[in-house]
Amino acid sequence: MKRRRVIYEGKAKILYEGTEPGTVIQYFKDDATAGNGAKKDTIEGKGVLNNRISEYLMTQLQGIGVPTHFVRRLNMREQLIKEVEIIPLEVVVRNVAAGSMSKRLGIEEGTPLPRSIIEYYYKNDSLNDPWVSEEHITAFGWASPQDLDDMVNLTIRVNDFLSGLFLGAGIKLVDFKLEFGRLWENDFMRIVLADEISPDNCRLWDVATNEKLDKDRFRRDLGGVVEAYSEVARRLGIMPESVQGENKGPVLVQ
Ligand code: UDP
């Protein structure tokens, strides 16, 4: 098989050159990191689940007219995406206080917020992704006021839609992180949703018990990471046929 060119390797994904111009292959690894790489581990099956969950959520969002980079899933660990120019921001939406917001502002985890709050972080590992304001973003040219406006509008739609979708599966969407890219089509540019949406970048709590079904299980050493991600996939009705049994031969289905 011809070796593919790696475009970029991140903490949880690898980007390979795509099969046609303007496309990229996004490969989901089993690696997990937290604290900007301070904590590392491999969680068998995580990549398969995130590929599948992200495919489902991106497809559902496209169904309501949210533009995304997603084209199609290729196999258990890979999806074809459109090549975009990534905007160097993490856009975080919060519905319930948790994580860094709870720590920074002294609000108890689990406290519902009076309204959804959007925060921005500058994507820069050597600076630990610092919190920034719209002023920084436009002054330093990371995004134009128009780009920001588009991102905020899309983020609000994504939050409203995903909050309802997860609630239907008995899951509370506490907070999540989005990334956006610029998609060039001839001389026109559109802001589209990029990266992935999975339990790696969402906080998902069981509605009845508040049990964590997301990456906090890894960050906080709670165990049962794959089980939690599988539970999310199962409740969304998209449990992949085989996660643990990947490449381990045929399985008798009765
Ligand atoms: N998040 C993420 N990548 C990051 C930082 C945060 O995907 O580099 C997600 C995280 O999973 C959570 C939300 O963004 O759903 C808010 O994270 P927070 O700021 O509370 O940071 P944390 O407590 O995870 O360090």
Side-chain angles (χ1 to χ4, degrees):
M1 197 174 86
K2 210 174 96 201
R3 257 186 98 76
R4 292 180 300 186
R5 194 169 70 86
V6 173
I7 299 172
Y8 173 82
E9 176 154 7
K11 297 183 200 109
K13 295 190 291 290
I14 306 173
L15 298 182
Y16 294 101
E17 205 169 45
T19 44
E20 47 206 270
T23 63
V24 170
I25 293 168
Q26 181 163 252
Y27 176 97
F28 289 75
K29 298 194 276 188
D30 282 342
D31 297 352
T33 65
N36 195 15
K39 182 180 164 76
K40 282 194 190 119
D41 207 348
T42 302
I43 295 161
E44 203 186 331
K46 178 177 81 82
V48 175
L49 285 157
N50 283 352
N51 185 24
R52 199 70 188 75
I53 293 170
S54 196
E55 171 201 19
Y56 177 74
L57 298 177
M58 290 281 184
T59 305
Q60 295 295 309
L61 284 165
Q62 283 175 345
I64 61 153
V66 171
T68 86
H69 72 164
F70 182 80
V71 179
R72 65 176 178 277
R73 186 166 61 87
L74 297 171
N75 54 50
M76 297 271 274
R77 287 187 182 270
E78 296 178 329
Q79 48 182 245
L80 192 68
I81 58 175
K82 291 178 191 152
E83 186 173 18
V84 299
E85 191 182 291
I86 287 287
I87 293 171
L89 295 172
E90 301 199 333
V91 179
V92 168
V93 195
R94 303 179 184 274
N95 300 308
V96 175
S100 71
M101 170 183 251
S102 290
K103 225 180 270 164
R104 188 185 297 124
L105 304 179
I107 306 172
E108 197 188 339
E109 282 213 320
T111 310
L113 298 173
R115 47 172 278 193
S116 301
I117 294 175
I118 298 181
E119 297 172 350
Y120 308 98
Y121 295 84
Y122 177 45
K123 260 169 79 76
N124 184 317
D125 280 346
S126 57
L127 297 174
N128 261 326
D129 298 345
W131 197 15
V132 293
S133 72
E134 296 195 358
E135 293 280 293
H136 298 99
I137 295 168
T138 52
F140 296 126
W142 299 323
S144 69
Q146 179 64 56
D147 293 342
L148 254 182
D149 209 43
D150 291 351
M151 285 192 284
V152 168
N153 285 326
L154 289 172
T155 298
I156 293 168
R157 284 173 69 193
V158 170
N159 185 44
D160 285 348
F161 180 75
L162 290 187
S163 292
L165 184 147
F166 277 117
L167 200 56
I171 293 171
K172 199 189 294 178
L173 181 58
V174 170
D175 59 29
F176 60 101
K177 184 260 296 184
L178 297 176
E179 293 189 24
F180 293 91
R182 296 188 186 90
L183 177 65
W184 289 92
E185 283 164 338
N186 301 316
D187 282 344
F188 293 96
M189 186 277 285
R190 286 200 290 162
I191 301 287
V192 303
L193 193 57
D195 193 49
E196 67 175 289
I197 309 178
S198 73
D200 265 9
N201 43 41
C202 300
R203 282 199 169 90
L204 305 169
W205 295 358
D206 178 83
V207 166
T209 64
N210 281 342
E211 186 191 352
K212 297 182 198 321
L213 300 172
D214 57 59
K215 198 175 162 189
D216 273 349
R217 301 209 70 86
F218 170 72
R219 295 189 190 100
R220 303 180 185 190
D221 294 318
L222 301 173
V225 183
V226 161
E227 291 76 4
Y229 285 38
S230 304
E231 178 64 13
V232 172
R234 193 189 64 75
R235 291 195 194 183
L236 294 174
I238 52 165
M239 189 61 196
E241 321 72 59
S242 160
V243 172
Q244 308 293 357
E246 190 190 5
N247 297 330
K248 286 183 187 148
V251 176
L252 181 65
V253 180
Q254 291 177 325

